[in-house]
Amino acid sequence: MIRGAAVVLLSFLLLLSYTAESVRFDLQSGHTKCIAEDIKSNSMTVGKYSVVNPSEGHPLPDSHKLTVRVTSAYGNNYHNADLVESGQFAFTAPENGDYMACFWAPDHKPEVTISVDFEWKSGMEAKDWTNVAKKGSVDAMELELKRLMDTVTSIHEEMFYLRDREEEMQELNKSTNSQMAVFSFLSLVVCLSVAGLQFWHLKTFFEKKKLI
């Protein structure tokens, strides 16, 4: 059950928090093409690229080489590769902003067109969940989920307790209001009775003195 919850949670997080870009583009020799990716600070990002062999089954021509640079918006360099057929990079972004991957093909006569496969992932999509599972982190994840479930259960029970306490306070308020109403009525009866007795006493006194 917990493993199922872990899978659902991971799927939900993957849908909410990842950025992935997989493209194939053509690059003319002597030209440069740049691809930008907006990455948040402290996010993991990985990329891999490779030149598509125009003649499968044959060695890649010497003209099909790339020079690759990955830089941040502040000009910091995170990957360098000169005259390669393929490569990859990985780093944790120290700052927010657009990161640029630029591909340059050396000039060649006659001009050639180089096709490049490029995949760039960041955020949760950049994490290697297969290796995470192999390393046994799923058990740790289950433990964390169990802890979170216990926390949620505790909060749920606390909410029920507070609701019961609120109902008790409401009943106490109703009871207090009823008692106050009875007390107020009795106080009014006593006051009227005392006033009536005072009036009767004064009337009797004045009659005895023949003042009225």
Side-chain angles (χ1 to χ4, degrees):
M1 181 177 180
I2 297 178
R3 288 181 183 272
V7 173
V8 172
L9 179 61
L10 285 177
S11 300
F12 181 70
L13 291 175
L14 285 173
L15 286 174
L16 288 181
S17 178
Y18 83 91
T19 304
E21 185 172 357
S22 180
V23 295
R24 173 176 289 192
F25 59 88
D26 291 333
L27 180 63
Q28 304 295 325
S29 58
H31 292 76
T32 301
K33 183 176 182 64
C34 295
I35 297 176
E37 182 79 1
D38 184 18
I39 304 176
K40 294 181 180 180
S41 62
N42 299 320
S43 293
M44 181 68 180
T45 183
V46 296
K48 59 180 179 180
Y49 52 89
S50 61
V51 175
V52 178
N53 195 333
S55 303
E56 291 188 10
H58 297 81
L60 194 67
D62 292 336
S63 58
H64 286 54
K65 303 289 185 180
L66 295 173
T67 295
V68 184
R69 299 284 185 274
V70 179
T71 58
S72 70
Y74 298 93
N76 297 320
N77 210 336
Y78 293 97
H79 178 70
N80 286 308
D82 294 322
L83 301 177
V84 296
E85 301 174 359
S86 62
Q88 58 185 7
F89 57 86
F91 59 88
T92 299
E95 56 209 21
N96 291 320
D98 287 332
Y99 287 74
M100 195 82 68
C102 292
F103 301 83
W104 177 74
D107 197 9
H108 188 271
K109 299 298 182 182
E111 186 179 82
V112 296
T113 299
I114 302 174
S115 295
V116 182
D117 280 334
F118 178 49
E119 185 176 16
W120 199 353
K121 301 177 182 179
S122 60
M124 293 195 65
E125 182 67 11
K127 294 183 179 180
D128 190 347
W129 293 104
T130 301
N131 288 336
V132 169
K134 289 180 179 178
K135 292 176 182 177
S137 295
V138 170
D139 293 335
M141 197 181 311
E142 287 182 4
L143 181 62
E144 181 66 15
L145 283 173
K146 181 65 168 60
R147 186 185 67 81
L148 291 175
M149 289 175 64
D150 290 341
T151 302
V152 171
T153 301
S154 176
I155 294 173
H156 192 61
E157 292 174 350
E158 183 70 16
M159 289 176 64
F160 275 108
Y161 170 76
L162 291 176
R163 189 179 69 177
D164 292 338
R165 290 286 296 168
E166 183 181 2
E167 291 176 353
E168 291 177 2
M169 291 298 297
Q170 289 178 352
E171 291 296 327
L172 180 60
N173 288 336
K174 290 180 181 179
S175 176
T176 302
N177 291 336
S178 299
Q179 293 175 1
M180 288 297 297
V182 174
F183 180 78
S184 298
F185 178 76
L186 292 177
S187 298
L188 180 61
V189 171
V190 170
C191 289
L192 290 175
S193 298
V194 171
L197 288 173
Q198 288 180 340
F199 178 78
W200 176 80
H201 175 72
L202 290 172
K203 182 180 179 182
T204 303
F205 175 80
F206 287 130
E207 286 179 345
K208 287 182 178 181
K209 296 295 184 180
K210 297 181 179 181
L211 296 175
I212 57 173

